[in-house]
Amino acid sequence: MPVKSPVLPHLHLLAKAPLPGQAKTRLIPCLGPEGAAQAHATMVRHCVATACQALGSQNVTLWTSLEHQHPLFVELQSHYGISLAAQLQGDLGMRVRHALNSTQGPSMVMGTDCPSITVAMLRQCSSALKDVPVVILPAEDGGYGLIGTHDDHPSLFKNIPWGTEQVLQVTRQRLEALSLEAIFPDTMWDIDRPEDWQRWQQTLKHANSL
């Protein structure tokens, strides 16, 4: 059980540069290559704003890929004062683990295709991580949108069937094998398919009408 600490966790966000044909390709059938790239950029901006509101920009790092000096990344760093870092080469597990271990103290990793993760969810995860070794936001599709830890646990990220509905199930099995207590404060959903994008647009429309 980790020692209670008032220190906020550092939040690491993973983001591709919004290059047409290389970002959010499963949205191309409904939005086209340019539209899918613009949708991705919108999600990255949303997630960075949410992260900074929840934890403060000094506790946020945006890990970039494809084009590390893309104008979107430069814009976000200039506007919010967040840190930028280049993602490692390798599978998702390697990149997540590297980000988690790159800062001292508790840390969390989140994708930037998860605009359903709210300020309240991030603060809830941050608070939960004071009391347990691991915090996870499960996704409706069987994966997860955020993981937070205090220490390095390699088996949580090695040989995981990333991109499948077994991700959370396998991760739970690894947690049990390590005798690690975890908290799952809420459930989120990410944006992979056209119907996910439409769902988010409806969510925004509803929020703006309140």
Side-chain angles (χ1 to χ4, degrees), residues 27 77 80 93 107 119 127-128 137 143-144 146 156 186:
L27 296 182
Q77 183 183 42
Y80 291 101
S107 58
V119 170
S127 179
L137 282 179
Y144 59 77
L146 176 147
L156 293 181
D186 209 335

Side-chain angles (χ1 to χ4, degrees), residues 28-171:
I28 290 176
C30 73
L31 299 178
E34 290 282 351
Q38 291 172 9
H40 177 67
T42 298
M43 285 185 270
V44 174
R45 287 191 180 96
H46 180 92
C47 289
V48 168
T50 299
C52 291
Q53 185 179 345
L55 298 173
S57 59
Q58 71 276 13
N59 294 310
V60 177
T61 296
L62 183 63
W63 291 80
T64 63
S65 68
L66 296 181
E67 187 181 308
H68 303 301
Q69 294 302 316
H70 190 279
L72 173 66
F73 301 145
V74 175
E75 166 205 319
L76 291 170
Q77 183 183 42
S78 174
H79 183 75
Y80 291 101
I82 59 173
S83 299
L84 296 180
Q87 290 185 42
L88 280 186
Q89 295 296 318
D91 72 3
L92 180 59
M94 290 176 60
R95 289 179 279 132
V96 168
R97 185 182 169 210
H98 177 74
L100 285 171
N101 293 329
S102 68
T103 47
Q104 296 292 319
S107 58
M108 305 187 296
V109 170
M110 176 180 123
T112 45
D113 56 356
C114 309
S116 66
I117 296 179
T118 63
V119 170
M121 284 185 187
L122 289 178
R123 289 177 176 167
Q124 198 174 3
C125 289
S126 173
S127 179
L129 200 52
K130 295 176 183 177
D131 300 316
V132 294
V134 179
V135 62
I136 292 175
L137 282 179
E140 291 178 359
D141 62 7
Y144 59 77
L146 176 147
I147 186 168
T149 63
H150 288 260
D151 302 301
D152 185 24
H153 303 291
S155 66
L156 293 181
F157 307 106
K158 284 184 179 178
N159 300 319
I160 302 293
W162 303 111
T164 74
E165 60 186 18
Q166 281 83 44
V167 170
L168 184 61
Q169 178 185 349
V170 173
T171 302

